[in-house]
Amino acid sequence: MMPVEAFLRQDAEAVRPAPALVKRGWRKLLFGDVASSLLTVLISLCALWAVPRVLDWAVFDAVWRGNGQACFDAGACWAFLGAKWPLILFGIYPPDQQWRPIVVVLAFLAITLWSLPERNWTRATATGWLVVIVSSLLLMGGDTLGLQPVPTGDWGGLPITILLTVLSLTIGFPFGILLALGRRSEDRMMRWLSVGFIEIVRGLPLLTMLFIAAILLPLMLPDGVTFDNLSRALVALTFYSAAYLAEVIRGGLQSLPKGQEEAARALGLGRLATLRFIILPQAIHAVIPPLTNTVVVVVKNTSLVLVVGLFDLLSAGRSALTDPDWPSPYIETYILVGFVYFVICFGISRYSLWLEHKLSAGVQR
Amino acid sequence: MTTSPLTGEEPPAIVIDGLNKWYGDYHALRNVELSVKRGERIVICGPSGSGKSTLIRCINALETHQEGAITVNGTQLSSNFKAIDEIRRDVGMVFQGFNLFPHLTILENCMLAPMRVRRQPLAEAEERARHFLARVRIPEQADKYPGQLSGGQQQRVAIARALCMSPSVMLFDEPTSALDAEMVKEVLDIMVDLAEEGMTMLCVTHEMGFARQVADRVIFMDAGQIVEMNTPAEFFGNPRHERTRTFLAQVLH
Ligand SMILES: Nc1ncnc2c1ncn2[C@@H]1O[C@H](COP(=O)(O)OP(=O)(O)OP(=O)(O)O)[C@@H](O)[C@H]1O
Ligand SMILES: [Mg+2]
């Protein structure tokens, strides 16, 4: 027999607080080992070389005000942005009417900010969006409001980017849900139609779809029915959003355990109520990160509408560069345009992180 | 619901007549016949894969069957959505895996169906939800999310959620199998309460103590058939079928 060492506790071990976490200091971070030391030195050298040059160009040699003459043979021509920002942001929209696109941009900014907190996700907010979208279209066009009419071909810049993004996503989202459900449907016809649509749209470059919308659509439609360029671009972008959103949402639907639907149906909830209250909220929550990704891609995709003759933010910026009185300050213009895109996309991405965190707060699985 | 004028007897809660079900080529339920009286408590046991879940899931049409008829409170199950919805409103179900809705609070879990299906106003739905949460002895968890509760608590919420719809029949599919031993009792206690209040119950369970305590009849299933059915005293004291005896020897040790 093995000897057994008996044990019986006499007094309890003390309960102690956990030892404090040791934070890694800067020195450790930058020079902790050979690799990070090398990296630190390398990056510092690059910075030493680049920073003075960039500063010279962007600050010390830059032209801050004045006209085009001052900008030749100088550093950054910020004066150009000061003079041309309306053209860059609003394209060839009639200069004396530019308060209209400004109002539109501000209205979208306001409703977006209003919609951010969860407590404002109400029916009234949804109606608010509808009102903003419709009145923006009317205000930009002008004729129904008795203002100077501006054809959609003359709209440009930021309002085009915003309108195309918002419209293609709001129309594409329900459409994408239908496609995702269709793809999982037991009805073979529905399944084939959905798969067909999704695969065709995903298989075509967006540029091709925009061309098709611009050239083929008018040919296929009966005489007398015309679409302006904005609607054509919108059709292509909406198809694109719907197909990509559908695949993302399908992933979310697949991630749900079967028991969720069964429990809802067993309680007597119908198919629609089950979708609306049980399936979709969970499926969409599960795919917020890829959903955000798709939204950001759609925002940036609007820059392709140039091919159907629309001037979004990027192309409006480029058209500003053609003024012969100024040198062509490409970099400065692209910095401004890039900055606007960045603010929009970075904002969306931060918001989605917050949202994901917020929605997961209670739901720990 | 009405008492028959001729016999003075209430019509049965559930009548299952010649039920056959196949999964592909696999004959999962073979000619099942069962009639459940109002207020009757039935425990179904049997080895894994014998068709217990399939049988009770056919009753609220979570599974479709190919042959036979199922009648619940006088309404016959058909492919008619109206009939299915009517039956589901009246038949509560508790699953092995709880299946609470993780994105809703406990209270919302209990209020959703009464508000959407029974069109109860919010105040009434909330009052009833709190009432049933108190009955399953977790009134204080109402505002938490399912993920914050223990398994036993979640299963009690699932029972409360089903009761909020005022069902006349409750189906249980192994409600305690996913629970740690110390939580089994808290769920069984609730089920015993329910049984004592006269709820019509069909329970798939291997809790033989529960079967002895509350069941009016115990059913043993094997290979898609009802093999033996008897009062608990007879079933446990004097099992007649060979398969029942081997099964009981395994679960009772
Ligand atoms: N969706 C399905 N598709 C195909 N076969 C199935 C399906 N569901 C169940 N089966 C089969 O039908 C038979 C009965 O299954 P069921 O789930 O009713 O058994 P059970 O008695 O509940 O078993 P357990 O005790 O393991 O829960 C099993 O052989 C199972 O493999
Ligand atoms: Mg089972």
Side-chain angles (χ1 to χ4, degrees), chain A residues 258, chain B residues 23-24 26 28 46-55 63 96 173-174 204 206:
Chain A
K258 217 171 146 229
Chain B
Y23 287 114
Y26 179 72
S48 182
S50 56
K52 310 177 295 290
S53 300
T54 309
L55 173 61
E63 302 285 352
Q96 180 174 358
D173 190 359
E174 306 206 32
V204 174
H206 292 151

mmCIF file with all atom_site columns, all heavy atoms in Angstrom, chain A residues 258, chain B residues 23-24 26 28 46-55 63 96 173-174 204 206, ligand 1:
data_model
loop_
_atom_site.group_PDB
_atom_site.id
_atom_site.type_symbol
_atom_site.label_atom_id
_atom_site.label_alt_id
_atom_site.label_comp_id
_atom_site.label_asym_id
_atom_site.label_entity_id
_atom_site.label_seq_id
_atom_site.pdbx_PDB_ins_code
_atom_site.Cartn_x
_atom_site.Cartn_y
_atom_site.Cartn_z
_atom_site.occupancy
_atom_site.B_iso_or_equiv
_atom_site.pdbx_formal_charge
_atom_site.auth_seq_id
_atom_site.auth_comp_id
_atom_site.auth_asym_id
_atom_site.auth_atom_id
_atom_site.pdbx_PDB_model_num
ATOM   1   N N   . LYS A 1 258 ? -30.571 27.438 -34.129 1.00 0.00 ? 258 LYS A N   1
ATOM   2   C CA  . LYS A 1 258 ? -31.901 27.135 -34.636 1.00 0.00 ? 258 LYS A CA  1
ATOM   3   C C   . LYS A 1 258 ? -32.972 27.301 -33.549 1.00 0.00 ? 258 LYS A C   1
ATOM   4   O O   . LYS A 1 258 ? -34.113 27.628 -33.827 1.00 0.00 ? 258 LYS A O   1
ATOM   5   C CB  . LYS A 1 258 ? -31.914 25.689 -35.149 1.00 0.00 ? 258 LYS A CB  1
ATOM   6   C CG  . LYS A 1 258 ? -32.750 25.496 -36.378 1.00 0.00 ? 258 LYS A CG  1
ATOM   7   C CD  . LYS A 1 258 ? -32.531 24.096 -36.956 1.00 0.00 ? 258 LYS A CD  1
ATOM   8   C CE  . LYS A 1 258 ? -33.816 23.587 -37.564 1.00 0.00 ? 258 LYS A CE  1
ATOM   9   N NZ  . LYS A 1 258 ? -34.157 22.236 -37.134 1.00 0.00 ? 258 LYS A NZ  1
ATOM   10  N N   . TYR B 2 23  ? -37.831 11.017 -41.379 1.00 0.00 ? 23  TYR B N   1
ATOM   11  C CA  . TYR B 2 23  ? -36.784 11.965 -41.780 1.00 0.00 ? 23  TYR B CA  1
ATOM   12  C C   . TYR B 2 23  ? -36.114 11.333 -42.984 1.00 0.00 ? 23  TYR B C   1
ATOM   13  O O   . TYR B 2 23  ? -35.363 10.377 -42.830 1.00 0.00 ? 23  TYR B O   1
ATOM   14  C CB  . TYR B 2 23  ? -35.744 12.148 -40.676 1.00 0.00 ? 23  TYR B CB  1
ATOM   15  C CG  . TYR B 2 23  ? -36.216 12.960 -39.485 1.00 0.00 ? 23  TYR B CG  1
ATOM   16  C CD1 . TYR B 2 23  ? -36.365 12.382 -38.236 1.00 0.00 ? 23  TYR B CD1 1
ATOM   17  C CD2 . TYR B 2 23  ? -36.475 14.327 -39.615 1.00 0.00 ? 23  TYR B CD2 1
ATOM   18  C CE1 . TYR B 2 23  ? -36.766 13.130 -37.145 1.00 0.00 ? 23  TYR B CE1 1
ATOM   19  C CE2 . TYR B 2 23  ? -36.883 15.078 -38.531 1.00 0.00 ? 23  TYR B CE2 1
ATOM   20  C CZ  . TYR B 2 23  ? -37.023 14.475 -37.299 1.00 0.00 ? 23  TYR B CZ  1
ATOM   21  O OH  . TYR B 2 23  ? -37.418 15.215 -36.216 1.00 0.00 ? 23  TYR B OH  1
ATOM   22  N N   . GLY B 2 24  ? -36.371 11.855 -44.165 1.00 0.00 ? 24  GLY B N   1
ATOM   23  C CA  . GLY B 2 24  ? -35.859 11.181 -45.358 1.00 0.00 ? 24  GLY B CA  1
ATOM   24  C C   . GLY B 2 24  ? -36.434 9.777  -45.404 1.00 0.00 ? 24  GLY B C   1
ATOM   25  O O   . GLY B 2 24  ? -37.652 9.614  -45.421 1.00 0.00 ? 24  GLY B O   1
ATOM   26  N N   . TYR B 2 26  ? -35.734 7.575  -43.008 1.00 0.00 ? 26  TYR B N   1
ATOM   27  C CA  . TYR B 2 26  ? -35.724 7.033  -41.651 1.00 0.00 ? 26  TYR B CA  1
ATOM   28  C C   . TYR B 2 26  ? -37.100 7.186  -40.993 1.00 0.00 ? 26  TYR B C   1
ATOM   29  O O   . TYR B 2 26  ? -37.629 8.298  -40.874 1.00 0.00 ? 26  TYR B O   1
ATOM   30  C CB  . TYR B 2 26  ? -34.640 7.738  -40.832 1.00 0.00 ? 26  TYR B CB  1
ATOM   31  C CG  . TYR B 2 26  ? -34.576 7.252  -39.411 1.00 0.00 ? 26  TYR B CG  1
ATOM   32  C CD1 . TYR B 2 26  ? -34.064 5.996  -39.130 1.00 0.00 ? 26  TYR B CD1 1
ATOM   33  C CD2 . TYR B 2 26  ? -35.044 8.044  -38.368 1.00 0.00 ? 26  TYR B CD2 1
ATOM   34  C CE1 . TYR B 2 26  ? -34.018 5.535  -37.829 1.00 0.00 ? 26  TYR B CE1 1
ATOM   35  C CE2 . TYR B 2 26  ? -35.000 7.598  -37.062 1.00 0.00 ? 26  TYR B CE2 1
ATOM   36  C CZ  . TYR B 2 26  ? -34.492 6.340  -36.796 1.00 0.00 ? 26  TYR B CZ  1
ATOM   37  O OH  . TYR B 2 26  ? -34.452 5.886  -35.520 1.00 0.00 ? 26  TYR B OH  1
ATOM   38  N N   . ALA B 2 28  ? -39.058 7.748  -38.201 1.00 0.00 ? 28  ALA B N   1
ATOM   39  C CA  . ALA B 2 28  ? -38.747 8.232  -36.859 1.00 0.00 ? 28  ALA B CA  1
ATOM   40  C C   . ALA B 2 28  ? -39.887 8.017  -35.866 1.00 0.00 ? 28  ALA B C   1
ATOM   41  O O   . ALA B 2 28  ? -39.644 7.829  -34.679 1.00 0.00 ? 28  ALA B O   1
ATOM   42  C CB  . ALA B 2 28  ? -38.378 9.711  -36.920 1.00 0.00 ? 28  ALA B CB  1
ATOM   43  N N   . GLY B 2 46  ? -37.105 7.080  -22.571 1.00 0.00 ? 46  GLY B N   1
ATOM   44  C CA  . GLY B 2 46  ? -36.653 6.152  -23.599 1.00 0.00 ? 46  GLY B CA  1
ATOM   45  C C   . GLY B 2 46  ? -35.235 6.479  -23.988 1.00 0.00 ? 46  GLY B C   1
ATOM   46  O O   . GLY B 2 46  ? -34.748 7.571  -23.680 1.00 0.00 ? 46  GLY B O   1
ATOM   47  N N   . PRO B 2 47  ? -34.555 5.541  -24.649 1.00 0.00 ? 47  PRO B N   1
ATOM   48  C CA  . PRO B 2 47  ? -33.154 5.770  -24.999 1.00 0.00 ? 47  PRO B CA  1
ATOM   49  C C   . PRO B 2 47  ? -33.006 6.893  -26.028 1.00 0.00 ? 47  PRO B C   1
ATOM   50  O O   . PRO B 2 47  ? -33.976 7.297  -26.658 1.00 0.00 ? 47  PRO B O   1
ATOM   51  C CB  . PRO B 2 47  ? -32.712 4.424  -25.592 1.00 0.00 ? 47  PRO B CB  1
ATOM   52  C CG  . PRO B 2 47  ? -33.966 3.731  -25.993 1.00 0.00 ? 47  PRO B CG  1
ATOM   53  C CD  . PRO B 2 47  ? -35.025 4.216  -25.063 1.00 0.00 ? 47  PRO B CD  1
ATOM   54  N N   . SER B 2 48  ? -31.772 7.387  -26.155 1.00 0.00 ? 48  SER B N   1
ATOM   55  C CA  . SER B 2 48  ? -31.487 8.463  -27.092 1.00 0.00 ? 48  SER B CA  1
ATOM   56  C C   . SER B 2 48  ? -31.836 8.030  -28.517 1.00 0.00 ? 48  SER B C   1
ATOM   57  O O   . SER B 2 48  ? -31.559 6.901  -28.910 1.00 0.00 ? 48  SER B O   1
ATOM   58  C CB  . SER B 2 48  ? -30.011 8.825  -26.993 1.00 0.00 ? 48  SER B CB  1
ATOM   59  O OG  . SER B 2 48  ? -29.739 9.887  -27.849 1.00 0.00 ? 48  SER B OG  1
ATOM   60  N N   . GLY B 2 49  ? -32.473 8.910  -29.257 1.00 0.00 ? 49  GLY B N   1
ATOM   61  C CA  . GLY B 2 49  ? -32.829 8.607  -30.638 1.00 0.00 ? 49  GLY B CA  1
ATOM   62  C C   . GLY B 2 49  ? -34.112 7.823  -30.783 1.00 0.00 ? 49  GLY B C   1
ATOM   63  O O   . GLY B 2 49  ? -34.468 7.397  -31.881 1.00 0.00 ? 49  GLY B O   1
ATOM   64  N N   . SER B 2 50  ? -34.850 7.650  -29.680 1.00 0.00 ? 50  SER B N   1
ATOM   65  C CA  . SER B 2 50  ? -36.062 6.834  -29.776 1.00 0.00 ? 50  SER B CA  1
ATOM   66  C C   . SER B 2 50  ? -37.253 7.633  -30.308 1.00 0.00 ? 50  SER B C   1
ATOM   67  O O   . SER B 2 50  ? -38.314 7.070  -30.550 1.00 0.00 ? 50  SER B O   1
ATOM   68  C CB  . SER B 2 50  ? -36.395 6.246  -28.411 1.00 0.00 ? 50  SER B CB  1
ATOM   69  O OG  . SER B 2 50  ? -36.516 7.277  -27.462 1.00 0.00 ? 50  SER B OG  1
ATOM   70  N N   . GLY B 2 51  ? -37.101 8.959  -30.469 1.00 0.00 ? 51  GLY B N   1
ATOM   71  C CA  . GLY B 2 51  ? -38.177 9.747  -31.068 1.00 0.00 ? 51  GLY B CA  1
ATOM   72  C C   . GLY B 2 51  ? -39.000 10.544 -30.071 1.00 0.00 ? 51  GLY B C   1
ATOM   73  O O   . GLY B 2 51  ? -40.065 11.053 -30.410 1.00 0.00 ? 51  GLY B O   1
ATOM   74  N N   . LYS B 2 52  ? -38.503 10.700 -28.840 1.00 0.00 ? 52  LYS B N   1
ATOM   75  C CA  . LYS B 2 52  ? -39.257 11.440 -27.820 1.00 0.00 ? 52  LYS B CA  1
ATOM   76  C C   . LYS B 2 52  ? -39.407 12.902 -28.220 1.00 0.00 ? 52  LYS B C   1
ATOM   77  O O   . LYS B 2 52  ? -40.508 13.452 -28.210 1.00 0.00 ? 52  LYS B O   1
ATOM   78  C CB  . LYS B 2 52  ? -38.543 11.356 -26.458 1.00 0.00 ? 52  LYS B CB  1
ATOM   79  C CG  . LYS B 2 52  ? -38.166 9.946  -26.041 1.00 0.00 ? 52  LYS B CG  1
ATOM   80  C CD  . LYS B 2 52  ? -37.409 9.941  -24.730 1.00 0.00 ? 52  LYS B CD  1
ATOM   81  C CE  . LYS B 2 52  ? -36.054 10.619 -24.769 1.00 0.00 ? 52  LYS B CE  1
ATOM   82  N NZ  . LYS B 2 52  ? -35.021 9.900  -25.531 1.00 0.00 ? 52  LYS B NZ  1
ATOM   83  N N   . SER B 2 53  ? -38.290 13.532 -28.569 1.00 0.00 ? 53  SER B N   1
ATOM   84  C CA  . SER B 2 53  ? -38.361 14.936 -28.977 1.00 0.00 ? 53  SER B CA  1
ATOM   85  C C   . SER B 2 53  ? -39.235 15.079 -30.204 1.00 0.00 ? 53  SER B C   1
ATOM   86  O O   . SER B 2 53  ? -40.081 15.974 -30.286 1.00 0.00 ? 53  SER B O   1
ATOM   87  C CB  . SER B 2 53  ? -36.965 15.471 -29.301 1.00 0.00 ? 53  SER B CB  1
ATOM   88  O OG  . SER B 2 53  ? -36.140 15.375 -28.188 1.00 0.00 ? 53  SER B OG  1
ATOM   89  N N   . THR B 2 54  ? -39.019 14.208 -31.160 1.00 0.00 ? 54  THR B N   1
ATOM   90  C CA  . THR B 2 54  ? -39.795 14.283 -32.394 1.00 0.00 ? 54  THR B CA  1
ATOM   91  C C   . THR B 2 54  ? -41.289 14.238 -32.091 1.00 0.00 ? 54  THR B C   1
ATOM   92  O O   . THR B 2 54  ? -42.060 15.034 -32.631 1.00 0.00 ? 54  THR B O   1
ATOM   93  C CB  . THR B 2 54  ? -39.412 13.120 -33.325 1.00 0.00 ? 54  THR B CB  1
ATOM   94  O OG1 . THR B 2 54  ? -37.985 13.102 -33.459 1.00 0.00 ? 54  THR B OG1 1
ATOM   95  C CG2 . THR B 2 54  ? -40.043 13.280 -34.686 1.00 0.00 ? 54  THR B CG2 1
ATOM   96  N N   . LEU B 2 55  ? -41.681 13.353 -31.190 1.00 0.00 ? 55  LEU B N   1
ATOM   97  C CA  . LEU B 2 55  ? -43.097 13.226 -30.869 1.00 0.00 ? 55  LEU B CA  1
ATOM   98  C C   . LEU B 2 55  ? -43.658 14.519 -30.297 1.00 0.00 ? 55  LEU B C   1
ATOM   99  O O   . LEU B 2 55  ? -44.665 15.043 -30.786 1.00 0.00 ? 55  LEU B O   1
ATOM   100 C CB  . LEU B 2 55  ? -43.315 12.076 -29.872 1.00 0.00 ? 55  LEU B CB  1
ATOM   101 C CG  . LEU B 2 55  ? -44.740 11.946 -29.340 1.00 0.00 ? 55  LEU B CG  1
ATOM   102 C CD1 . LEU B 2 55  ? -45.703 11.672 -30.483 1.00 0.00 ? 55  LEU B CD1 1
ATOM   103 C CD2 . LEU B 2 55  ? -44.842 10.839 -28.291 1.00 0.00 ? 55  LEU B CD2 1
ATOM   104 N N   . GLU B 2 63  ? -42.165 20.157 -35.895 1.00 0.00 ? 63  GLU B N   1
ATOM   105 C CA  . GLU B 2 63  ? -41.853 19.162 -36.939 1.00 0.00 ? 63  GLU B CA  1
ATOM   106 C C   . GLU B 2 63  ? -43.151 18.865 -37.677 1.00 0.00 ? 63  GLU B C   1
ATOM   107 O O   . GLU B 2 63  ? -44.218 18.846 -37.067 1.00 0.00 ? 63  GLU B O   1
ATOM   108 C CB  . GLU B 2 63  ? -41.340 17.856 -36.317 1.00 0.00 ? 63  GLU B CB  1
ATOM   109 C CG  . GLU B 2 63  ? -40.105 17.995 -35.457 1.00 0.00 ? 63  GLU B CG  1
ATOM   110 C CD  . GLU B 2 63  ? -38.830 18.192 -36.261 1.00 0.00 ? 63  GLU B CD  1
ATOM   111 O OE1 . GLU B 2 63  ? -38.883 18.063 -37.506 1.00 0.00 ? 63  GLU B OE1 1
ATOM   112 O OE2 . GLU B 2 63  ? -37.797 18.487 -35.645 1.00 0.00 ? 63  GLU B OE2 1
ATOM   113 N N   . GLN B 2 96  ? -34.634 21.868 -23.918 1.00 0.00 ? 96  GLN B N   1
ATOM   114 C CA  . GLN B 2 96  ? -33.437 21.462 -23.186 1.00 0.00 ? 96  GLN B CA  1
ATOM   115 C C   . GLN B 2 96  ? -32.441 22.622 -23.077 1.00 0.00 ? 96  GLN B C   1
ATOM   116 O O   . GLN B 2 96  ? -31.863 22.857 -22.036 1.00 0.00 ? 96  GLN B O   1
ATOM   117 C CB  . GLN B 2 96  ? -32.799 20.280 -23.922 1.00 0.00 ? 96  GLN B CB  1
ATOM   118 C CG  . GLN B 2 96  ? -31.554 19.759 -23.263 1.00 0.00 ? 96  GLN B CG  1
ATOM   119 C CD  . GLN B 2 96  ? -31.062 18.497 -23.959 1.00 0.00 ? 96  GLN B CD  1
ATOM   120 O OE1 . GLN B 2 96  ? -31.666 18.002 -24.898 1.00 0.00 ? 96  GLN B OE1 1
ATOM   121 N NE2 . GLN B 2 96  ? -29.956 17.976 -23.489 1.00 0.00 ? 96  GLN B NE2 1
ATOM   122 N N   . ASP B 2 173 ? -39.138 19.340 -23.099 1.00 0.00 ? 173 ASP B N   1
ATOM   123 C CA  . ASP B 2 173 ? -38.206 18.410 -23.745 1.00 0.00 ? 173 ASP B CA  1
ATOM   124 C C   . ASP B 2 173 ? -36.897 18.387 -22.957 1.00 0.00 ? 173 ASP B C   1
ATOM   125 O O   . ASP B 2 173 ? -36.049 19.248 -23.135 1.00 0.00 ? 173 ASP B O   1
ATOM   126 C CB  . ASP B 2 173 ? -37.959 18.832 -25.202 1.00 0.00 ? 173 ASP B CB  1
ATOM   127 C CG  . ASP B 2 173 ? -37.210 17.763 -25.968 1.00 0.00 ? 173 ASP B CG  1
ATOM   128 O OD1 . ASP B 2 173 ? -36.876 16.715 -25.363 1.00 0.00 ? 173 ASP B OD1 1
ATOM   129 O OD2 . ASP B 2 173 ? -36.965 17.957 -27.174 1.00 0.00 ? 173 ASP B OD2 1
ATOM   130 N N   . GLU B 2 174 ? -36.754 17.404 -22.100 1.00 0.00 ? 174 GLU B N   1
ATOM   131 C CA  . GLU B 2 174 ? -35.574 17.261 -21.251 1.00 0.00 ? 174 GLU B CA  1
ATOM   132 C C   . GLU B 2 174 ? -35.157 18.596 -20.630 1.00 0.00 ? 174 GLU B C   1
ATOM   133 O O   . GLU B 2 174 ? -34.046 19.067 -20.859 1.00 0.00 ? 174 GLU B O   1
ATOM   134 C CB  . GLU B 2 174 ? -34.418 16.675 -22.064 1.00 0.00 ? 174 GLU B CB  1
ATOM   135 C CG  . GLU B 2 174 ? -34.808 15.386 -22.758 1.00 0.00 ? 174 GLU B CG  1
ATOM   136 C CD  . GLU B 2 174 ? -33.614 14.484 -23.032 1.00 0.00 ? 174 GLU B CD  1
ATOM   137 O OE1 . GLU B 2 174 ? -32.674 14.514 -22.225 1.00 0.00 ? 174 GLU B OE1 1
ATOM   138 O OE2 . GLU B 2 174 ? -33.641 13.756 -24.019 1.00 0.00 ? 174 GLU B OE2 1
ATOM   139 N N   . VAL B 2 204 ? -40.730 15.063 -21.488 1.00 0.00 ? 204 VAL B N   1
ATOM   140 C CA  . VAL B 2 204 ? -39.675 14.113 -21.799 1.00 0.00 ? 204 VAL B CA  1
ATOM   141 C C   . VAL B 2 204 ? -38.608 14.327 -20.743 1.00 0.00 ? 204 VAL B C   1
ATOM   142 O O   . VAL B 2 204 ? -38.076 15.430 -20.618 1.00 0.00 ? 204 VAL B O   1
ATOM   143 C CB  . VAL B 2 204 ? -39.089 14.378 -23.196 1.00 0.00 ? 204 VAL B CB  1
ATOM   144 C CG1 . VAL B 2 204 ? -37.894 13.462 -23.439 1.00 0.00 ? 204 VAL B CG1 1
ATOM   145 C CG2 . VAL B 2 204 ? -40.139 14.200 -24.262 1.00 0.00 ? 204 VAL B CG2 1
ATOM   146 N N   . HIS B 2 206 ? -35.614 12.174 -17.903 1.00 0.00 ? 206 HIS B N   1
ATOM   147 C CA  . HIS B 2 206 ? -35.086 10.956 -17.287 1.00 0.00 ? 206 HIS B CA  1
ATOM   148 C C   . HIS B 2 206 ? -35.049 11.085 -15.775 1.00 0.00 ? 206 HIS B C   1
ATOM   149 O O   . HIS B 2 206 ? -34.418 10.282 -15.102 1.00 0.00 ? 206 HIS B O   1
ATOM   150 C CB  . HIS B 2 206 ? -33.692 10.640 -17.854 1.00 0.00 ? 206 HIS B CB  1
ATOM   151 C CG  . HIS B 2 206 ? -33.770 10.243 -19.298 1.00 0.00 ? 206 HIS B CG  1
ATOM   152 N ND1 . HIS B 2 206 ? -32.762 10.453 -20.192 1.00 0.00 ? 206 HIS B ND1 1
ATOM   153 C CD2 . HIS B 2 206 ? -34.776 9.681  -20.001 1.00 0.00 ? 206 HIS B CD2 1
ATOM   154 C CE1 . HIS B 2 206 ? -33.127 10.024 -21.386 1.00 0.00 ? 206 HIS B CE1 1
ATOM   155 N NE2 . HIS B 2 206 ? -34.348 9.559  -21.292 1.00 0.00 ? 206 HIS B NE2 1
HETATM 156 N N1  . LIG C 3 .   ? -33.813 16.951 -38.387 1.00 0.00 ? 1   LIG C N1  1
HETATM 157 C C1  . LIG C 3 .   ? -33.550 15.634 -38.456 1.00 0.00 ? 1   LIG C C1  1
HETATM 158 N N2  . LIG C 3 .   ? -33.119 15.087 -39.607 1.00 0.00 ? 1   LIG C N2  1
HETATM 159 C C2  . LIG C 3 .   ? -32.862 13.767 -39.696 1.00 0.00 ? 1   LIG C C2  1
HETATM 160 N N3  . LIG C 3 .   ? -32.995 12.896 -38.684 1.00 0.00 ? 1   LIG C N3  1
HETATM 161 C C3  . LIG C 3 .   ? -33.419 13.370 -37.506 1.00 0.00 ? 1   LIG C C3  1
HETATM 162 C C4  . LIG C 3 .   ? -33.704 14.766 -37.322 1.00 0.00 ? 1   LIG C C4  1
HETATM 163 N N4  . LIG C 3 .   ? -34.095 14.953 -36.049 1.00 0.00 ? 1   LIG C N4  1
HETATM 164 C C5  . LIG C 3 .   ? -34.056 13.737 -35.466 1.00 0.00 ? 1   LIG C C5  1
HETATM 165 N N5  . LIG C 3 .   ? -33.643 12.790 -36.327 1.00 0.00 ? 1   LIG C N5  1
HETATM 166 C C6  . LIG C 3 .   ? -33.517 11.367 -36.040 1.00 0.00 ? 1   LIG C C6  1
HETATM 167 O O1  . LIG C 3 .   ? -34.744 10.893 -35.553 1.00 0.00 ? 1   LIG C O1  1
HETATM 168 C C7  . LIG C 3 .   ? -34.535 10.016 -34.461 1.00 0.00 ? 1   LIG C C7  1
HETATM 169 C C8  . LIG C 3 .   ? -35.324 10.480 -33.263 1.00 0.00 ? 1   LIG C C8  1
HETATM 170 O O2  . LIG C 3 .   ? -34.777 11.688 -32.809 1.00 0.00 ? 1   LIG C O2  1
HETATM 171 P P1  . LIG C 3 .   ? -35.260 12.422 -31.499 1.00 0.00 ? 1   LIG C P1  1
HETATM 172 O O3  . LIG C 3 .   ? -34.520 13.696 -31.409 1.00 0.00 ? 1   LIG C O3  1
HETATM 173 O O4  . LIG C 3 .   ? -36.723 12.485 -31.485 1.00 0.00 ? 1   LIG C O4  1
HETATM 174 O O5  . LIG C 3 .   ? -34.769 11.431 -30.365 1.00 0.00 ? 1   LIG C O5  1
HETATM 175 P P2  . LIG C 3 .   ? -34.880 11.573 -28.789 1.00 0.00 ? 1   LIG C P2  1
HETATM 176 O O6  . LIG C 3 .   ? -35.626 10.389 -28.315 1.00 0.00 ? 1   LIG C O6  1
HETATM 177 O O7  . LIG C 3 .   ? -35.388 12.900 -28.439 1.00 0.00 ? 1   LIG C O7  1
HETATM 178 O O8  . LIG C 3 .   ? -33.371 11.420 -28.363 1.00 0.00 ? 1   LIG C O8  1
HETATM 179 P P3  . LIG C 3 .   ? -32.523 12.216 -27.255 1.00 0.00 ? 1   LIG C P3  1
HETATM 180 O O9  . LIG C 3 .   ? -32.774 11.529 -25.963 1.00 0.00 ? 1   LIG C O9  1
HETATM 181 O O10 . LIG C 3 .   ? -31.114 12.031 -27.718 1.00 0.00 ? 1   LIG C O10 1
HETATM 182 O O11 . LIG C 3 .   ? -32.974 13.637 -27.274 1.00 0.00 ? 1   LIG C O11 1
HETATM 183 C C9  . LIG C 3 .   ? -33.051 9.956  -34.220 1.00 0.00 ? 1   LIG C C9  1
HETATM 184 O O12 . LIG C 3 .   ? -32.550 8.774  -34.789 1.00 0.00 ? 1   LIG C O12 1
HETATM 185 C C10 . LIG C 3 .   ? -32.499 11.141 -34.944 1.00 0.00 ? 1   LIG C C10 1
HETATM 186 O O13 . LIG C 3 .   ? -31.241 10.850 -35.477 1.00 0.00 ? 1   LIG C O13 1
#
